[in-house]
Coordinates of all heavy atoms in Angstrom, one line a residue:
M1 N -22.2 -11.7 41.6 CA -23.1 -11.5 42.7 C -24.5 -11.1 42.2 O -24.6 -10.4 41.3 CB -22.5 -10.3 43.6 CG -23.1 -10.2 44.9 SD -22.3 -9.0 46.0 CE -21.1 -10.1 46.8
A2 N -25.5 -11.6 42.9 CA -26.9 -11.4 42.4 C -27.4 -10.1 43.0 O -27.0 -9.6 44.0 CB -27.7 -12.6 42.9
L3 N -28.5 -9.6 42.4 CA -29.2 -8.4 42.9 C -29.9 -8.7 44.2 O -30.3 -9.8 44.5 CB -30.2 -7.9 41.9 CG -29.6 -7.2 40.6 CD1 -30.8 -6.8 39.7 CD2 -28.8 -6.0 41.0
C4 N -30.0 -7.7 45.0 CA -30.6 -7.8 46.3 C -32.1 -8.3 46.1 O -32.8 -7.8 45.3 CB -30.7 -6.4 47.0 SG -31.7 -6.4 48.5
R5 N -32.4 -9.3 46.9 CA -33.8 -9.9 46.8 C -34.9 -9.0 47.3 O -36.0 -9.2 46.9 CB -33.8 -11.2 47.6 CG -33.0 -12.3 46.9 CD -32.8 -13.5 47.9 NE -31.7 -13.2 48.7 CZ -31.3 -14.1 49.7 NH1 -31.9 -15.2 49.9 NH2 -30.2 -13.8 50.4
L6 N -34.5 -8.0 48.1 CA -35.5 -7.1 48.6 C -35.8 -5.9 47.6 O -36.9 -5.6 47.3 CB -35.1 -6.6 50.0 CG -35.0 -7.6 51.1 CD1 -34.4 -7.0 52.3 CD2 -36.4 -8.2 51.3
C7 N -34.7 -5.2 47.2 CA -34.9 -4.0 46.4 C -34.6 -4.2 44.9 O -35.1 -3.4 44.1 CB -34.0 -2.9 47.0 SG -32.3 -3.1 46.7
Q8 N -33.9 -5.2 44.6 CA -33.6 -5.5 43.2 C -32.8 -4.4 42.5 O -32.8 -4.2 41.3 CB -34.8 -5.8 42.3 CG -35.6 -7.0 42.8 CD -34.9 -8.3 42.6 OE1 -34.3 -8.5 41.6 NE2 -34.9 -9.1 43.6
Q9 N -32.1 -3.5 43.3 CA -31.4 -2.4 42.8 C -29.9 -2.5 42.7 O -29.2 -1.8 41.9 CB -31.7 -1.1 43.6 CG -33.2 -0.7 43.5 CD -33.5 0.5 44.3 OE1 -32.7 1.1 44.9 NE2 -34.8 0.8 44.5
T10 N -29.3 -3.2 43.6 CA -27.8 -3.3 43.7 C -27.4 -4.7 44.1 O -28.3 -5.5 44.5 CB -27.2 -2.3 44.6 OG1 -25.8 -2.3 44.5 CG2 -27.6 -2.5 46.1
D11 N -26.1 -5.0 44.1 CA -25.7 -6.4 44.5 C -26.0 -6.6 45.9 O -25.9 -5.7 46.8 CB -24.2 -6.5 44.3 CG -23.8 -6.5 42.8 OD1 -24.6 -6.9 42.0 OD2 -22.6 -6.2 42.5
E12 N -26.4 -7.8 46.2 CA -26.8 -8.2 47.6 C -25.4 -8.5 48.3 O -24.7 -9.3 47.9 CB -27.7 -9.4 47.7 CG -28.1 -9.7 49.0 CD -29.2 -10.8 49.0 OE1 -30.3 -10.5 48.6 OE2 -28.9 -11.9 49.5
S13 N -25.2 -7.8 49.4 CA -24.0 -8.0 50.3 C -24.5 -7.8 51.7 O -25.5 -7.2 52.0 CB -22.9 -7.1 49.9 OG -23.3 -5.8 50.2
V14 N -23.6 -8.2 52.6 CA -23.9 -8.0 54.0 C -24.0 -6.5 54.3 O -25.0 -6.0 54.9 CB -22.8 -8.6 54.9 CG1 -23.0 -8.2 56.4 CG2 -22.9 -10.2 54.8
R15 N -23.1 -5.7 53.8 CA -23.1 -4.3 54.0 C -24.4 -3.7 53.4 O -25.0 -2.8 54.1 CB -21.9 -3.7 53.2 CG -21.9 -2.2 53.4 CD -20.7 -1.6 52.8 NE -20.7 -0.1 53.0 CZ -19.9 0.7 52.4 NH1 -19.0 0.3 51.5 NH2 -20.0 2.0 52.6
H16 N -24.8 -4.1 52.3 CA -26.1 -3.6 51.7 C -27.3 -3.9 52.5 O -28.1 -3.0 52.9 CB -26.3 -4.1 50.2 CG -27.6 -3.7 49.6 ND1 -27.9 -2.5 49.2 CD2 -28.7 -4.5 49.5 CE1 -29.1 -2.4 48.7 NE2 -29.6 -3.6 48.9
I17 N -27.4 -5.1 53.0 CA -28.5 -5.6 53.7 C -28.6 -4.9 55.1 O -29.6 -4.4 55.6 CB -28.5 -7.1 54.0 CG1 -28.7 -7.8 52.6 CG2 -29.6 -7.6 54.9 CD1 -30.0 -7.6 51.9
V18 N -27.4 -4.7 55.7 CA -27.3 -4.2 57.1 C -27.5 -2.6 57.1 O -28.1 -2.1 58.0 CB -26.0 -4.6 57.7 CG1 -25.8 -3.8 59.0 CG2 -26.0 -6.0 58.0
S19 N -27.1 -2.0 56.0 CA -27.1 -0.5 56.1 C -27.5 0.3 54.9 O -27.6 1.5 54.9 CB -25.7 0.0 56.5 OG -24.8 -0.3 55.5
A20 N -27.8 -0.3 53.7 CA -28.1 0.5 52.6 C -29.3 0.1 51.7 O -29.6 0.8 50.8 CB -26.8 0.4 51.6
C21 N -30.0 -0.9 52.1 CA -31.1 -1.4 51.3 C -32.3 -0.4 51.5 O -32.8 -0.2 52.6 CB -31.6 -2.8 51.6 SG -33.0 -3.4 50.6
P22 N -32.8 0.2 50.4 CA -33.9 1.2 50.5 C -35.2 0.6 51.0 O -36.1 1.3 51.6 CB -34.0 1.8 49.2 CG -33.4 0.8 48.2 CD -32.3 0.2 49.0
K23 N -35.4 -0.7 50.8 CA -36.6 -1.4 51.3 C -36.7 -1.5 52.8 O -37.7 -1.8 53.3 CB -36.7 -2.8 50.6 CG -37.0 -2.8 49.2 CD -38.4 -2.3 48.9 CE -38.8 -2.5 47.5 NZ -40.1 -2.2 47.2
Q24 N -35.5 -1.3 53.5 CA -35.5 -1.5 54.9 C -35.4 -0.2 55.7 O -35.4 -0.1 56.9 CB -34.4 -2.4 55.3 CG -34.5 -3.8 54.7 CD -33.6 -4.8 55.3 OE1 -33.8 -5.2 56.5 NE2 -32.6 -5.1 54.6
V25 N -35.2 0.9 55.0 CA -34.9 2.2 55.6 C -36.0 2.6 56.6 O -35.7 3.0 57.7 CB -34.8 3.3 54.6 CG1 -34.8 4.7 55.2 CG2 -33.5 3.1 53.8
R26 N -37.3 2.5 56.3 CA -38.3 3.0 57.2 C -38.8 1.9 58.1 O -39.7 2.1 58.9 CB -39.5 3.5 56.4 CG -39.2 4.7 55.6 CD -39.2 5.9 56.4 NE -38.9 7.1 55.6 CZ -38.0 8.0 56.0 NH1 -37.3 7.9 57.1 NH2 -37.8 9.1 55.2
T27 N -38.3 0.7 58.1 CA -38.8 -0.4 58.9 C -37.7 -0.9 59.8 O -37.5 -0.5 60.9 CB -39.4 -1.5 58.0 OG1 -38.4 -2.0 57.1 CG2 -40.6 -1.0 57.3
K28 N -36.9 -1.8 59.3 CA -35.9 -2.5 60.1 C -34.8 -1.6 60.6 O -34.4 -1.8 61.8 CB -35.3 -3.7 59.3 CG -36.3 -4.8 59.0 CD -35.7 -6.0 58.5 CE -36.9 -6.9 58.1 NZ -36.7 -8.3 58.4
Y29 N -34.3 -0.7 59.8 CA -33.3 0.2 60.3 C -33.8 1.1 61.4 O -33.1 1.3 62.4 CB -32.7 1.1 59.2 CG -32.1 0.3 58.0 CD1 -31.9 0.9 56.8 CD2 -31.6 -1.0 58.2 CE1 -31.3 0.2 55.7 CE2 -31.0 -1.6 57.2 CZ -30.8 -1.0 55.9 OH -30.3 -1.7 54.9
T30 N -35.0 1.6 61.3 CA -35.6 2.5 62.3 C -35.8 1.6 63.6 O -35.6 2.1 64.7 CB -36.9 3.0 61.8 OG1 -36.7 3.8 60.6 CG2 -37.6 3.9 62.8
Q31 N -36.3 0.4 63.4 CA -36.5 -0.4 64.6 C -35.2 -0.7 65.3 O -35.1 -0.7 66.5 CB -37.2 -1.8 64.2 CG -37.6 -2.6 65.4 CD -38.5 -2.0 66.3 OE1 -39.5 -1.4 65.9 NE2 -38.2 -2.0 67.6
R32 N -34.2 -1.0 64.5 CA -32.9 -1.3 65.1 C -32.4 -0.1 65.9 O -31.9 -0.1 67.0 CB -31.9 -1.7 64.1 CG -30.5 -2.0 64.6 CD -29.6 -2.5 63.5 NE -29.4 -1.5 62.5 CZ -28.9 -1.7 61.3 NH1 -28.6 -2.9 60.9 NH2 -28.8 -0.7 60.5
H33 N -32.5 1.1 65.3 CA -32.1 2.4 65.9 C -32.9 2.6 67.2 O -32.3 2.9 68.3 CB -32.4 3.5 65.0 CG -32.2 4.9 65.6 ND1 -33.2 5.5 66.3 CD2 -31.1 5.7 65.7 CE1 -32.8 6.7 66.7 NE2 -31.5 6.8 66.4
N34 N -34.2 2.4 67.2 CA -35.0 2.6 68.3 C -34.7 1.6 69.4 O -34.8 2.0 70.6 CB -36.5 2.5 67.9 CG -36.9 3.8 67.2 OD1 -36.2 4.8 67.1 ND2 -38.1 3.7 66.5
D35 N -34.4 0.4 69.1 CA -34.0 -0.6 70.1 C -32.7 -0.2 70.8 O -32.6 -0.4 72.0 CB -33.9 -2.0 69.5 CG -35.2 -2.7 69.2 OD1 -36.2 -2.2 69.6 OD2 -35.2 -3.7 68.4
V36 N -31.8 0.3 70.1 CA -30.5 0.7 70.7 C -30.8 1.9 71.6 O -30.4 2.0 72.8 CB -29.5 1.1 69.6 CG1 -28.3 1.8 70.3 CG2 -29.0 -0.1 68.9
A37 N -31.6 2.9 71.1 CA -32.0 4.0 71.9 C -32.7 3.6 73.2 O -32.5 4.2 74.3 CB -32.8 5.0 71.1
K38 N -33.6 2.7 73.0 CA -34.4 2.2 74.2 C -33.5 1.6 75.2 O -33.7 1.8 76.4 CB -35.5 1.2 73.7 CG -36.4 0.8 74.8 CD -37.3 -0.5 74.5 CE -38.1 -0.4 73.3 NZ -39.0 -1.5 73.1
Y39 N -32.5 0.8 74.8 CA -31.6 0.2 75.8 C -30.8 1.3 76.5 O -30.6 1.2 77.7 CB -30.6 -0.7 75.1 CG -29.5 -1.2 76.0 CD1 -29.8 -2.2 76.9 CD2 -28.3 -0.6 76.0 CE1 -28.8 -2.6 77.8 CE2 -27.3 -1.0 76.9 CZ -27.6 -2.0 77.8 OH -26.6 -2.4 78.7
I40 N -30.3 2.3 75.8 CA -29.6 3.4 76.4 C -30.5 4.1 77.4 O -30.1 4.4 78.5 CB -29.0 4.3 75.3 CG1 -27.9 3.6 74.5 CG2 -28.5 5.6 76.0 CD1 -27.5 4.4 73.3
H41 N -31.7 4.4 77.0 CA -32.7 5.1 77.9 C -32.9 4.3 79.1 O -32.9 4.8 80.3 CB -34.0 5.3 77.1 CG -35.0 6.2 77.8 ND1 -35.9 5.7 78.7 CD2 -35.2 7.5 77.8 CE1 -36.7 6.7 79.1 NE2 -36.3 7.8 78.6
W42 N -33.2 3.0 79.0 CA -33.4 2.1 80.1 C -32.3 2.1 81.0 O -32.4 2.2 82.3 CB -33.7 0.7 79.5 CG -33.8 -0.4 80.6 CD1 -34.9 -0.7 81.3 CD2 -32.8 -1.3 80.9 NE1 -34.7 -1.8 82.1 CE2 -33.4 -2.2 81.9 CE3 -31.5 -1.5 80.5 CZ2 -32.6 -3.2 82.5 CZ3 -30.8 -2.5 81.1 CH2 -31.3 -3.4 82.1
N43 N -31.0 2.0 80.5 CA -29.8 1.9 81.3 C -29.6 3.2 82.0 O -29.1 3.2 83.2 CB -28.6 1.5 80.4 CG -27.5 0.9 81.2 OD1 -27.8 0.0 82.0 ND2 -26.3 1.3 81.0
M44 N -29.8 4.3 81.4 CA -29.6 5.6 82.1 C -30.5 5.7 83.3 O -30.1 6.2 84.4 CB -29.8 6.8 81.1 CG -28.7 6.9 80.1 SD -29.1 8.1 78.8 CE -29.1 9.6 79.7
L45 N -31.8 5.3 83.1 CA -32.7 5.4 84.2 C -32.3 4.4 85.3 O -32.3 4.7 86.5 CB -34.1 5.1 83.7 CG -34.8 6.1 82.8 CD1 -36.2 5.6 82.4 CD2 -34.8 7.5 83.4
K46 N -32.0 3.2 84.9 CA -31.6 2.2 85.9 C -30.4 2.6 86.7 O -30.4 2.5 88.0 CB -31.2 0.9 85.2 CG -30.9 -0.3 86.0 CD -30.7 -1.5 85.2 CE -30.2 -2.7 86.1 NZ -29.8 -3.8 85.3
E47 N -29.4 3.2 86.1 CA -28.2 3.7 86.8 C -28.5 4.8 87.8 O -27.8 5.0 88.7 CB -27.1 4.2 85.8 CG -26.4 3.1 85.1 CD -25.4 3.6 84.0 OE1 -25.4 4.8 83.8 OE2 -24.6 2.8 83.6
R48 N -29.6 5.5 87.5 CA -30.0 6.6 88.4 C -31.0 6.2 89.4 O -31.6 7.1 90.1 CB -30.4 7.8 87.6 CG -29.3 8.5 86.9 CD -29.7 9.3 85.7 NE -28.5 10.0 85.1 CZ -27.7 9.4 84.3 NH1 -27.8 8.1 83.9 NH2 -26.6 10.0 83.8
G49 N -31.3 4.9 89.6 CA -32.2 4.4 90.6 C -33.7 4.5 90.3 O -34.5 4.4 91.2
V50 N -34.0 4.8 89.0 CA -35.4 4.8 88.6 C -35.9 3.4 88.4 O -35.2 2.6 87.8 CB -35.6 5.7 87.4 CG1 -37.0 5.7 86.9 CG2 -35.1 7.1 87.6
A51 N -37.1 3.1 88.8 CA -37.7 1.8 88.7 C -37.9 1.5 87.2 O -38.6 2.3 86.5 CB -39.0 1.6 89.4
V52 N -37.3 0.5 86.6 CA -37.5 0.1 85.3 C -37.8 -1.4 85.2 O -37.5 -2.1 86.2 CB -36.2 0.4 84.4 CG1 -36.1 1.9 84.3 CG2 -35.0 -0.2 85.0
P53 N -38.3 -1.9 84.1 CA -38.5 -3.4 84.0 C -37.2 -4.1 84.1 O -36.1 -3.6 83.8 CB -39.1 -3.6 82.6 CG -39.7 -2.2 82.2 CD -38.8 -1.2 82.9
K54 N -37.2 -5.4 84.5 CA -36.0 -6.2 84.6 C -35.3 -6.3 83.3 O -34.1 -6.3 83.2 CB -36.4 -7.6 85.1 CG -35.2 -8.5 85.3 CD -35.6 -9.8 85.8 CE -34.4 -10.7 86.0 NZ -34.7 -12.0 86.5
H55 N -36.0 -6.4 82.2 CA -35.4 -6.5 80.8 C -35.6 -5.3 80.0 O -36.8 -4.8 80.0 CB -36.1 -7.7 80.1 CG -35.9 -9.0 80.9 ND1 -34.7 -9.7 81.0 CD2 -36.8 -9.8 81.5 CE1 -34.9 -10.8 81.7 NE2 -36.2 -10.8 82.1
W56 N -34.6 -4.8 79.4 CA -34.7 -3.5 78.6 C -35.7 -3.6 77.5 O -36.3 -2.6 77.2 CB -33.3 -3.1 78.1 CG -32.8 -4.0 76.9 CD1 -32.0 -5.1 77.0 CD2 -33.1 -3.9 75.6 NE1 -31.8 -5.6 75.8 CE2 -32.4 -4.9 74.9 CE3 -33.9 -3.0 74.8 CZ2 -32.5 -5.1 73.5 CZ3 -33.9 -3.1 73.4 CH2 -33.3 -4.2 72.8
W57 N -35.9 -4.8 76.9 CA -36.8 -4.9 75.7 C -38.3 -4.7 76.2 O -39.2 -4.5 75.3 CB -36.6 -6.1 74.9 CG -36.7 -7.4 75.7 CD1 -37.8 -8.1 76.0 CD2 -35.6 -8.1 76.4 NE1 -37.5 -9.2 76.7 CE2 -36.2 -9.2 77.0 CE3 -34.3 -7.9 76.5 CZ2 -35.4 -10.1 77.7 CZ3 -33.5 -8.8 77.2 CH2 -34.0 -9.9 77.8
K58 N -38.6 -4.8 77.5 CA -39.9 -4.6 78.0 C -40.1 -3.1 78.4 O -41.2 -2.7 78.8 CB -40.2 -5.5 79.1 CG -40.2 -7.0 78.7 CD -40.6 -7.9 79.9 CE -40.7 -9.3 79.4 NZ -41.0 -10.2 80.5
H59 N -39.1 -2.3 78.3 CA -39.1 -0.9 78.7 C -40.0 -0.1 77.7 O -39.8 -0.2 76.5 CB -37.7 -0.4 78.8 CG -37.6 1.1 79.2 ND1 -38.1 1.6 80.3 CD2 -36.9 2.1 78.5 CE1 -37.8 2.9 80.3 NE2 -37.1 3.2 79.3
K60 N -40.9 0.7 78.3 CA -41.7 1.6 77.5 C -41.3 3.1 77.9 O -41.9 3.6 78.9 CB -43.2 1.4 77.7 CG -43.6 0.0 77.4 CD -43.9 -0.2 76.0 CE -44.5 -1.6 75.7 NZ -43.8 -2.6 75.1
P61 N -40.4 3.7 77.2 CA -39.9 5.1 77.6 C -41.1 6.1 77.7 O -41.9 6.2 76.8 CB -38.9 5.4 76.6 CG -38.5 4.2 75.9 CD -39.7 3.3 76.0
D62 N -41.0 6.9 78.8 CA -41.9 8.1 78.9 C -41.3 9.2 78.0 O -40.0 9.2 77.8 CB -42.0 8.6 80.3 CG -42.8 7.6 81.2 OD1 -43.7 6.9 80.7 OD2 -42.4 7.5 82.4
V63 N -42.1 10.1 77.6 CA -41.6 11.2 76.8 C -40.5 12.0 77.6 O -39.5 12.4 77.0 CB -42.7 12.2 76.3 CG1 -42.2 13.4 75.7 CG2 -43.6 11.4 75.4
S64 N -40.7 12.2 78.9 CA -39.8 13.0 79.7 C -39.8 12.4 81.1 O -40.8 12.1 81.7 CB -40.2 14.4 79.7 OG -39.3 15.2 80.4
T65 N -38.6 12.2 81.6 CA -38.4 11.7 83.0 C -37.5 12.6 83.7 O -36.4 12.9 83.3 CB -37.7 10.3 83.0 OG1 -38.5 9.4 82.1 CG2 -37.6 9.7 84.4
I66 N -38.0 13.2 84.8 CA -37.2 14.1 85.6 C -36.8 13.4 86.9 O -37.6 12.8 87.6 CB -38.0 15.4 86.0 CG1 -38.5 16.1 84.7 CG2 -37.2 16.3 86.9 CD1 -39.4 17.2 84.9
I67 N -35.5 13.4 87.2 CA -34.9 12.7 88.3 C -34.4 13.7 89.3 O -33.5 14.5 89.0 CB -33.8 11.8 87.8 CG1 -34.3 10.8 86.7 CG2 -33.2 11.0 89.0 CD1 -33.3 10.1 86.0
N68 N -35.0 13.6 90.5 CA -34.5 14.5 91.6 C -34.5 16.0 91.3 O -33.8 16.8 91.8 CB -33.1 14.1 92.1 CG -33.1 12.7 92.7 OD1 -34.1 12.2 93.2 ND2 -32.0 12.0 92.6
G69 N -35.4 16.4 90.4 CA -35.4 17.8 90.0 C -34.2 18.3 89.3 O -34.0 19.5 89.0
E70 N -33.2 17.4 89.0 CA -31.9 17.8 88.4 C -31.7 17.4 87.0 O -31.2 18.1 86.2 CB -30.8 17.3 89.3 CG -30.8 17.9 90.7 CD -29.7 17.2 91.5 OE1 -28.8 16.6 91.0 OE2 -29.7 17.4 92.7
V71 N -32.1 16.1 86.7 CA -31.8 15.5 85.4 C -33.1 15.3 84.7 O -34.1 14.7 85.3 CB -31.1 14.2 85.6 CG1 -30.8 13.5 84.3 CG2 -29.8 14.4 86.4
T72 N -33.2 15.7 83.4 CA -34.3 15.4 82.6 C -33.9 14.5 81.4 O -32.9 14.9 80.7 CB -35.0 16.7 82.0 OG1 -35.3 17.5 83.1 CG2 -36.2 16.4 81.2
I73 N -34.5 13.3 81.3 CA -34.1 12.4 80.2 C -35.4 12.4 79.3 O -36.5 12.0 79.8 CB -33.8 11.0 80.7 CG1 -32.6 11.1 81.7 CG2 -33.5 10.1 79.6 CD1 -32.2 9.8 82.4
T74 N -35.2 12.7 78.1 CA -36.3 12.8 77.1 C -36.3 11.6 76.2 O -35.2 11.0 76.0 CB -36.3 14.1 76.4 OG1 -35.1 14.2 75.6 CG2 -36.5 15.3 77.3
W75 N -37.4 11.4 75.5 CA -37.5 10.3 74.5 C -38.3 10.8 73.3 O -39.5 11.2 73.5 CB -38.2 9.1 75.2 CG -38.4 8.0 74.2 CD1 -39.6 7.7 73.6 CD2 -37.5 7.0 73.8 NE1 -39.5 6.6 72.8 CE2 -38.2 6.2 72.9 CE3 -36.2 6.8 74.1 CZ2 -37.6 5.1 72.3 CZ3 -35.6 5.7 73.5 CH2 -36.2 4.9 72.6
D76 N -37.8 10.7 72.2 CA -38.5 10.9 70.9 C -39.2 12.3 70.8 O -40.3 12.3 70.4 CB -39.4 9.8 70.6 CG -39.8 9.7 69.2 OD1 -39.0 10.1 68.3 OD2 -40.9 9.1 68.9
L77 N -38.5 13.3 71.2 CA -39.1 14.7 71.1 C -38.4 15.4 69.9 O -37.2 15.3 69.7 CB -38.8 15.5 72.4 CG -39.5 15.0 73.6 CD1 -39.1 15.9 74.8 CD2 -41.0 15.2 73.4
K78 N -39.2 16.2 69.3 CA -38.7 17.0 68.2 C -37.7 18.0 68.8 O -38.0 18.6 69.8 CB -39.8 17.7 67.4 CG -40.6 16.8 66.5 CD -41.5 17.6 65.6 CE -42.2 16.6 64.7 NZ -43.1 17.3 63.8
M79 N -36.6 18.3 68.1 CA -35.7 19.2 68.6 C -35.9 20.6 67.8 O -36.1 20.6 66.6 CB -34.2 18.8 68.3 CG -33.9 17.5 69.1 SD -32.2 16.9 68.7 CE -31.2 18.2 69.2
V80 N -35.9 21.7 68.5 CA -36.1 23.0 67.9 C -34.7 23.4 67.4 O -33.7 23.4 68.1 CB -36.6 24.0 68.9 CG1 -36.7 25.4 68.3 CG2 -37.9 23.5 69.5
T81 N -34.6 23.7 66.1 CA -33.4 24.2 65.5 C -33.6 25.5 64.8 O -34.7 25.9 64.5 CB -32.9 23.1 64.5 OG1 -33.9 23.0 63.5 CG2 -32.6 21.8 65.1
D82 N -32.5 26.2 64.5 CA -32.6 27.5 63.9 C -32.9 27.4 62.4 O -33.1 28.4 61.7 CB -31.4 28.3 64.1 CG -30.1 27.7 63.7 OD1 -30.1 26.5 63.3 OD2 -29.1 28.4 63.6
R83 N -32.9 26.2 61.8 CA -33.2 26.0 60.4 C -33.9 24.6 60.3 O -33.8 23.8 61.1 CB -31.9 26.0 59.6 CG -30.9 24.9 59.9 CD -29.6 25.1 59.1 NE -28.6 24.3 59.7 CZ -28.1 23.2 59.1 NH1 -28.6 22.8 57.9 NH2 -27.2 22.4 59.7
A84 N -34.6 24.5 59.2 CA -35.4 23.3 59.0 C -34.5 22.1 58.7 O -33.6 22.2 57.9 CB -36.4 23.5 57.8
L85 N -34.8 21.0 59.4 CA -34.1 19.8 59.2 C -35.0 18.7 58.9 O -36.1 18.6 59.4 CB -33.3 19.4 60.5 CG -32.2 20.4 60.9 CD1 -31.7 19.9 62.3 CD2 -31.1 20.5 59.9
E86 N -34.6 17.8 58.0 CA -35.5 16.7 57.6 C -35.6 15.7 58.8 O -36.7 15.2 59.1 CB -34.9 15.9 56.5 CG -35.7 14.7 56.0 CD -35.1 14.0 54.8 OE1 -34.2 14.5 54.2 OE2 -35.7 12.9 54.5
H87 N -34.5 15.5 59.6 CA -34.5 14.6 60.7 C -34.2 15.5 62.0 O -33.1 15.9 62.2 CB -33.5 13.5 60.6 CG -33.6 12.8 59.3 ND1 -34.7 11.9 59.1 CD2 -32.9 12.8 58.1 CE1 -34.5 11.4 57.8 NE2 -33.5 12.0 57.2
N88 N -35.2 15.8 62.8 CA -35.0 16.6 63.9 C -35.4 16.0 65.2 O -35.8 16.6 66.2 CB -35.8 17.9 63.7 CG -37.3 17.7 63.7 OD1 -37.8 16.6 63.5 ND2 -38.1 18.8 63.8
R89 N -35.3 14.7 65.3 CA -35.5 14.0 66.5 C -34.2 13.3 66.9 O -33.4 12.8 66.1 CB -36.5 12.9 66.4 CG -37.9 13.4 66.2 CD -38.9 12.3 66.0 NE -40.2 12.8 65.7 CZ -41.2 12.9 66.5 NH1 -41.1 12.3 67.7 NH2 -42.4 13.4 66.2
P90 N -33.9 13.3 68.2 CA -32.6 12.7 68.6 C -32.6 11.2 68.3 O -33.6 10.6 68.2 CB -32.6 13.0 70.1 CG -33.8 13.5 70.5 CD -34.6 13.8 69.3

């Protein structure tokens, strides 16, 4: 098996490309994560009767959405924790 064409650090495999290549950590993996989160956010609002675009990929989440004064759905907010965390966003 040949070395990964992107990072040149380990054997190139489907598993490596999809989840372990350090060259993709801050770009493609983050984008994939954000796209999944955007779909979930869009769907939660849609199910609760909030006006959203027809297609989830055109959805631009607001930082906070309050529905009927009862439900608050947030997007990309730092979470306050009792200790320092490297990753503190949902």
Side-chain angles (χ1 to χ4, degrees):
M1 194 172 268
L3 288 179
C4 173
R5 290 170 274 182
L6 297 172
C7 70
Q8 300 293 314
Q9 294 178 10
T10 190
D11 290 340
E12 184 171 293
S13 66
V14 171
R15 180 178 181 192
H16 173 75
I17 295 297
V18 171
S19 65
C21 181
K23 289 287 187 177
Q24 298 193 75
V25 169
R26 296 282 182 227
T27 57
K28 294 188 185 221
Y29 299 157
T30 301
Q31 184 61 49
R32 182 177 61 198
H33 171 274
N34 289 346
D35 284 347
V36 170
K38 186 191 308 187
Y39 173 77
I40 292 169
H41 188 271
W42 172 84
N43 203 44
M44 288 173 68
L45 294 179
K46 184 178 175 186
E47 286 178 348
R48 286 160 180 80
V50 176
V52 292
K54 181 177 180 181
H55 303 289
W56 71 266
W57 56 88
K58 293 183 178 181
H59 179 54
K60 305 277 190 250
D62 292 327
V63 171
S64 182
T65 305
I66 300 172
I67 303 168
N68 298 331
E70 297 177 11
V71 178
T72 302
I73 300 175
T74 60
W75 176 261
D76 200 26
L77 291 177
K78 286 187 178 183
M79 295 175 63
V80 178
T81 59
D82 60 346
R83 60 188 170 106
L85 298 173
E86 182 179 349
H87 306 289
N88 63 346
R89 291 177 186 254

